[in-house]
Amino acid sequence: MSTPHGTSDPSGEAAQRHLQAAAHRHLWLHFTRMSSYAESDMPVIVRGSGQYVYDDRGKRYLDGLSGLFVSQIGHGRREVAEAGARQASELAYFPLWSYAHPRAVELAERLAALAPGDLNRAFFTTSGSEAVESAWKLAKQYFKTIGQPGRYKVLSRDIAYHGTSMGALAITGLPGIKEPFEPMAPGGVRVPNTNFYRAPGFVADDLESFGRWAADEIERAIEREGPESVAAVFLEPVQNSGGCFPPPPGYFARVREICDRHGVLLVSDEVICAFGRLGYYFGSQRYGYQPDIITFAKGVTSGYSPLGGMMVSDALMEPFGSGREDISGFESPRRAGHAQGGGPSGTATFLHGVTFAGHPVSAAVALANLDVFEKEDLLANVRGNEGAFRGTLDKLTDLPIVGDVRGDGYFYGIELVKDKATKETFSDEESEWLLRGFLSPALFEAGLICRADDRGDPVIQLAPPLTCTQEHFTEIEQILRAVLTEAWSQL
Ligand SMILES: Cc1ncc(COP(=O)(O)O)c(C=O)c1O
């Protein structure tokens, strides 16, 4: 496709038409039915400022999903962009294969200080899928190294999303996005999630009993599979897919006990839940549990450059050596069933890496992003305002289509139902019309970016920038109220 050289109208109608034609001819959007754009333009977002983004026609949208659970500090932050530009001039690229560079070291040290307990080691990647993939590979190699080679299986929850690369996809619990890529990597095992709205009858009226049951299902799965074959349990602090399932009280304490009892690693997949989404740097801190590994991505840079990674415990690091002991200067605590018995740390090599992991520009951007968190006390903003956010969204429960509003922090799911009294959900055809046929375009048209999703039951997902305050919550509620009311009247 030729470029519109010579046009006298570079940002006007002609440029827009060219961009649309080129997008239709050459660009492949992710998780998108491309044929749905056969007769229409693709939305083109050209810039962002604060909590808002703007399309190529100048129309403004409230970014109620932080892009894709990413833009924690909001859009258009010059100081973060400039930190990336400075780094690119100084050292645009060098690998973390055998070498270090200053920004990766500084970021690793800073993340270790922020992470809970003894998660003192940062292994960087470029994305969340790679982080999840890395955590599984580490778990497998760790167990082989310490003489438990049979442990390779991973447990994760129904409908949970943990990424799309082949390893991460085997951990993902969404049959619909796995089926075209079968066979999966062996070892993925599903356990129930913590959707209390859809809890089985025998625990449906008591949240704590429900949580105990859901945690105990993890133990039952470990016993069924054979504990000597299970490497890790992957859980998000709040499960996103399905529409925000927070953990019931006591759930994670019990999961931790179960993991320790069976020598299984607890991986907290915080690709969404870290970096303030729940009012803490890490979601596990909100619910008071200690993971062996935390996977992260998205909000670590607020999207100003891509980065992911995992924070790893001292105990897990031990077979791989811990650098110069005189500098690290810590006694690593050991967990029952893992590397036991003292002795010098090991000499194994983690046989894993990717070219752009811990990219200098991304590491510099992450440091600048964390500076914004500190300067503006964004965690306090979330903790101080989350009650108001919930209260504002709760108003929507007077609509007949709103079955449940759930979440924590700045992270909510609104479940849509056909019948509130019976919690009856929509048929596949109704859901297709409601979410893709009506809500997605109508919400966008009304100026709100959020997600209408039916990977579980139909939900609307919200995760706005952490800088949002009541005026934004009100705008979200008003747009949702108008569009959901219209949807109901057309059903
Ligand atoms: C919990 C969780 N894990 C992993 C991933 C995969 O991250 P990425 O898209 O950066 O590969 C995601 C993406 O949304 C996620 O939400």
Side-chain angles (χ1 to χ4, degrees):
M1 181 69 61
S2 62
T3 52
H5 293 306
T7 174
S8 58
D9 180 26
S11 58
E13 279 283 311
Q16 278 171 18
R17 272 202 310 279
H18 171 79
L19 208 62
Q20 282 299 330
H24 279 80
R25 176 70 186 89
H26 297 296
L27 185 64
W28 202 334
L29 303 181
H30 295 208
F31 279 114
T32 303
R33 191 177 299 162
M34 292 301 284
S35 59
S36 67
Y37 289 118
E39 306 296 328
S40 63
D41 284 356
M42 292 180 205
V44 177
I45 302 298
V46 295
R47 75 183 178 88
S49 175
Q51 300 85 359
Y52 295 89
V53 292
Y54 297 80
D55 71 11
D56 56 345
R57 289 169 171 80
K59 185 171 168 195
R60 189 179 91 152
Y61 303 84
L62 177 54
D63 186 2
L65 204 63
S66 300
L68 197 57
F69 312 96
V70 167
S71 310
Q72 317 295 72
I73 61 174
H75 300 275
R77 300 278 197 159
R78 193 170 282 274
E79 70 269 41
V80 181
E82 283 170 354
R86 269 197 308 279
Q87 182 58 43
S89 314
E90 186 180 305
L91 177 70
Y93 175 70
F94 220 71
L96 289 180
W97 299 41
S98 305
Y99 306 93
H101 59 75
R103 299 301 92 73
V105 178
E106 289 157 19
L107 183 60
E109 183 182 35
R110 194 148 166 192
L111 293 175
L114 298 175
D118 68 338
L119 302 187
N120 288 313
R121 187 70 58 164
F123 182 93
F124 291 116
T125 66
T126 60
S127 71
S129 295
E130 278 176 6
V132 167
E133 195 97 16
S134 303
W136 191 5
K137 287 182 79 173
L138 175 60
K140 285 168 100 169
Q141 194 183 342
Y142 168 79
F143 281 119
K144 284 203 165 63
T145 308
I146 66 163
Q148 300 182 38
R151 287 189 187 267
Y152 69 96
K153 293 179 188 166
V154 280
L155 273 54
S156 58
R157 295 184 291 200
D158 289 329
I159 329 179
Y161 182 85
H162 292 286
T164 48
S165 55
M166 286 306 286
L169 192 61
I171 303 177
T172 283
L174 289 154
I177 64 165
K178 298 168 73 145
E179 190 274 328
F181 311 104
E182 297 280 358
M184 288 289 113
V189 176
R190 289 299 83 69
V191 293
N193 58 45
T194 60
N195 182 359
F196 187 54
Y197 187 65
R198 302 272 175 205
F202 57 93
V203 281
D205 53 7
D206 181 42
L207 184 59
E208 252 172 83
S209 312
F210 169 65
R212 198 170 324 115
W213 167 80
D216 287 348
E217 282 297 303
I218 292 178
E219 182 153 47
R220 275 189 277 280
I222 292 172
E223 285 167 347
R224 195 171 57 239
E225 296 295 325
E228 69 292 342
S229 74
V230 180
V233 179
F234 279 69
L235 305 172
E236 291 168 89
V238 172
Q239 180 174 322
N240 170 49
S241 202
C244 268
F245 307 143
Y251 174 79
F252 273 112
R254 200 161 178 97
V255 171
R256 180 72 264 180
E257 271 170 41
I258 291 166
C259 287
D260 286 345
R261 187 152 51 243
H262 297 287
V264 170
L265 302 177
L266 175 54
V267 181
S268 192
D269 183 358
E270 308 203 4
V271 167
I272 288 179
C273 291
F275 303 105
R277 181 57 50 209
L278 300 171
Y280 292 77
Y281 279 109
F282 292 96
S284 39
Q285 291 162 328
R286 178 172 185 133
Y287 305 113
Y289 64 95
Q290 181 60 44
D292 299 295
I293 301 175
I294 290 179
T295 51
F296 61 89
K298 298 190 186 262
V300 66
T301 60
S302 286
Y304 285 77
S305 189
L307 184 72
M310 57 177 172
M311 298 305 298
V312 175
S313 74
D314 292 336
L316 269 185
M317 187 64 201
E318 205 148 292
F320 301 92
S322 47
R324 287 228 305 267
E325 299 294 341
D326 57 330
I327 289 179
S328 55
F330 53 74
E331 272 293 307
S332 65
R334 290 149 199 275
R335 227 179 261 297
H338 297 156
Q340 297 263 4
S345 60
T347 55
T349 302
F350 183 31
L351 293 170
H352 181 57
V354 283
T355 301
F356 284 141
H359 192 284
V361 171
S362 300
V365 159
L367 289 163
N369 180 48
L370 292 173
D371 288 345
V372 174
F373 269 73
E374 277 176 23
K375 258 189 284 172
E376 299 182 14
D377 207 352
L378 290 182
L379 301 185
N381 193 54
V382 173
R383 290 190 214 173
N385 286 314
E386 65 168 287
F389 190 23
R390 174 185 282 276
T392 307
L393 293 178
D394 272 343
K395 290 186 195 165
L396 295 167
T397 54
D398 65 353
L399 299 178
I401 196 172
V402 171
D404 196 23
V405 176
R406 54 190 180 238
D408 271 329
Y410 273 22
F411 188 27
Y412 279 92
I414 299 173
E415 181 162 339
L416 307 177
V417 289
K418 200 161 148 181
D419 186 328
K420 253 168 124 115
T422 62
K423 301 186 182 174
E424 183 188 349
T425 192
F426 296 96
S427 67
D428 287 350
E429 298 74 54
E430 288 165 335
S431 192
E432 174 70 21
W433 174 82
L434 179 65
L435 298 182
R436 274 171 285 278
F438 185 80
L439 286 178
S440 295
L443 288 164
F444 188 69
E445 186 56 36
L448 176 63
I449 291 183
C450 59
R451 187 159 171 190
D453 190 28
D454 63 351
R455 291 176 298 176
D457 295 307
V459 290
I460 289 175
Q461 292 166 314
L462 293 164
L466 311 183
T467 50
C468 283
T469 55
Q470 185 60 53
E471 62 174 301
H472 308 105
F473 309 149
T474 303
E475 190 177 340
I476 290 171
E477 194 269 342
Q478 284 173 353
I479 293 176
L480 286 174
R481 175 171 294 280
V483 172
L484 290 173
T485 303
E486 182 60 27
W488 185 251
S489 75
Q490 290 194 29
L491 265 168

